[in-house]
Amino acid sequence: SSGINAEWPLRPGADETPNPKSISLTDDIEQIDRENKKEKLKEKLLLGATAAGGTTAVAAGAASVPFAMGFTSAGVAAGSAAAAIQSGIGSVAAGSGFAIMQSIAATTLIGTALPVVIAVGAVAGTVTSGVLLHKHLKKKKSTDCDSALIPLL
């Protein structure tokens, strides 16, 4: 007999059946690889959500400046910073910075509280995704340390 097992041809010339422990170890390695890929995807998604939320918060915050200064869709709000500026400059020249700010506020959603609402929501989303990312990375770090110690025990 040549010692070749015809029922289990792993490779040409294989003369032994595979060790069941080897198959189990291979399955374990493949499972760990799948779990690592899932963890990396989760990290990327949380990082992306944090970055997107932060970017949205900055953009919405910047867009809310005219509203915060008192430029509204109905005109300059009484008692606002914009009203104080207008009283200081007197007649507003067409094309001036003041006129442009009022025009933007009067013709867009910037002259409403919407950018403020968006900014607050974006900050909340950014904080939430940032906290989740921190917890995920902290858990991963402790798990990595624990698994590194297992062979030493």
Side-chain angles (χ1 to χ4, degrees):
S1 144
S2 66
I4 296 175
N5 184 347
E7 294 178 2
W8 192 269
L10 289 177
R11 60 187 181 282
D15 58 354
E16 292 184 20
T17 57
N19 182 341
K21 290 181 182 178
S22 297
I23 293 172
S24 175
L25 182 60
T26 302
D27 290 344
D28 290 346
I29 291 170
E30 289 173 356
Q31 177 65 27
I32 290 169
D33 187 47
R34 283 191 298 272
E35 289 172 5
N36 285 340
K37 287 179 181 176
K38 286 179 184 176
E39 291 299 312
K40 286 182 181 181
L41 177 61
K42 186 175 182 180
E43 287 173 21
K44 289 177 183 177
L45 290 173
L46 286 170
L47 185 59
T50 303
T55 302
T56 303
V58 168
S64 66
V65 169
F67 178 74
M69 289 182 63
F71 294 100
T72 71
S73 56
V76 175
S80 66
I85 293 168
Q86 186 176 21
S87 70
I89 60 174
S91 183
V92 177
S96 67
F98 188 92
I100 291 170
M101 292 284 274
Q102 183 53 52
S103 177
I104 290 170
T107 59
T108 65
L109 290 176
I110 291 175
T112 67
L114 183 62
V116 177
V117 172
I118 292 171
V120 170
V123 167
T126 301
V127 169
T128 301
S129 58
V131 167
L132 291 173
L133 179 61
H134 175 73
K135 284 182 179 181
H136 172 76
L137 293 175
K138 188 175 179 182
K139 178 182 172 187
K140 180 182 175 191
K141 184 177 178 183
S142 70
T143 303
D144 289 348
C145 291
D146 291 346
S147 63
L149 294 175
I150 290 173
L152 301 175
L153 298 178

